[in-house]
Amino acid sequence: MITVIGSLKGGSGKSTVTFNLAIWLQLAGENVRVFDLDPQATLTDAAEVRSEEGYQPAIPVFPIERVDDLNAESGETLVDVGAADMDSMMDAIAMADRVLVPVPPSQADIWSTQRFLGMISKRVNGSPGPDVLAFINRGDTHSAIRESDEAAAALISLNKVHFVRNRLGQRTAYRRSFSEGLAVFELDPRGKAAREFTALAAALYPHLLRTQH
Ligand SMILES: Nc1ncnc2c1ncn2[C@@H]1O[C@H](COP(=O)(O)OP(=O)(O)O)[C@@H](O)[C@H]1O
Ligand SMILES: [Mg+2]
């Protein structure tokens, strides 16, 4: 399955989520390939740090030059994109089974998500296209702040998007682990970030949780 982790805005958490998912999927025994189609190459950098530190499993990252291999289907493919290369982003989306959209809880991010959905519809032009899944990233962790709930309500009301309820909070663990080349659930397996991330991953790949008969 090809999953593009996409949005129009930088800083929404695409590379962070791709990196953590890649490690989670490998630990779940999946054969994983990651394509970095962002000219900023943040994911490539994080994978390099991981490799220099010798952490296992390594993340197999394919650069933009290898995008033709995207369709060589086997196992799970994750595609990290950046708005600086919209053509590559939209080409990957046209080939994808699904698009996962991290949405920070702000009105601007809801508008931007709406615009993104419109661009995806236009690109697939009448064909069913990929499933689009959205979830809240960088959600407020203080229950008195209601912005995440409002953003969630706005996402639920959008057409053509499947809302995933599992949220990721705004937590330093994501930043720290990423810069060290580790997944959040490796840096602090018992922390809140680890718990919410693994819950999100399980919601996205439910078939990996079931025992095979
Ligand atoms: N849930 C989160 N909590 C705290 N920091 C986060 C979270 N998600 C992402 N970040 C941080 O925000 C910055 C941008 O994230 P990144 O994944 O590079 O976004 P994108 O790829 O969409 O541009 C990084 O420093 C990252 O560590
Ligand atoms: Mg990025």
Side-chain angles (χ1 to χ4, degrees):
M1 178 160 62
I2 302 176
T3 305
V4 171
I5 296 82
S7 74
L8 298 178
K9 292 186 76 168
S12 63
K14 295 181 289 295
S15 300
T16 305
V17 168
T18 308
F19 181 82
N20 281 278
L21 272 182
I23 297 166
W24 187 86
L25 284 167
Q26 291 202 79
L27 295 176
E30 291 297 284
N31 180 14
V32 180
R33 302 181 310 157
V34 183
F35 286 82
D36 186 356
L37 304 189
D38 184 354
Q40 287 190 56
T42 313
L43 189 84
T44 305
D45 289 342
E48 257 171 44
V49 171
R50 183 173 178 84
S51 140
E52 281 160 15
E53 295 294 331
Y55 298 135
Q56 293 294 330
I59 301 178
V61 181
F62 293 73
I64 197 157
E65 294 76 24
R66 295 282 303 273
V67 72
D68 289 343
D69 296 346
L70 194 56
N71 249 341
E73 271 263 24
S74 69
E76 289 297 335
T77 300
L78 302 175
V79 188
D80 187 25
V81 297
D85 187 348
M86 283 307 297
D87 290 345
S88 296
M89 186 196 295
M90 296 316 288
D91 286 351
I93 285 172
M95 283 192 264
D97 298 292
R98 58 186 190 171
V99 181
L100 178 63
V101 191
V103 185
S106 81
Q107 185 58 56
D109 285 283
I110 299 294
W111 284 329
S112 157
T113 302
Q114 260 173 310
R115 196 166 294 267
F116 188 41
L117 293 170
M119 290 170 67
I120 294 172
S121 299
K122 198 165 158 212
R123 172 60 197 246
V124 301
N125 191 23
S127 64
D131 284 340
V132 183
L133 291 78
F135 71 96
I136 302 283
N137 182 33
R138 318 192 72 148
D140 23 72
T141 49
H142 198 287
S143 57
I145 306 171
R146 301 290 297 276
E147 266 166 336
S148 293
D149 290 344
E150 286 168 21
L155 281 179
I156 287 169
S157 71
L158 294 182
N159 278 330
K160 297 179 186 155
V161 61
H162 174 75
F163 178 65
V164 180
R165 274 190 231 164
N166 300 77
R167 291 179 193 174
L168 304 184
Q170 172 70 31
R171 303 183 195 279
T172 50
Y174 290 105
R175 239 187 11 245
R176 250 187 39 235
S177 55
F178 193 55
S179 60
E180 289 180 26
L182 287 168
V184 272
F185 47 85
E186 294 174 314
L187 182 73
D188 179 10
R190 292 169 173 274
K192 288 180 180 164
R195 210 173 340 144
E196 68 189 10
F197 184 83
T198 50
L200 173 67
L204 295 172
Y205 295 94
H207 63 285
L208 297 182
L209 305 178
R210 286 179 215 123
T211 45
Q212 317 254 323
H213 294 288

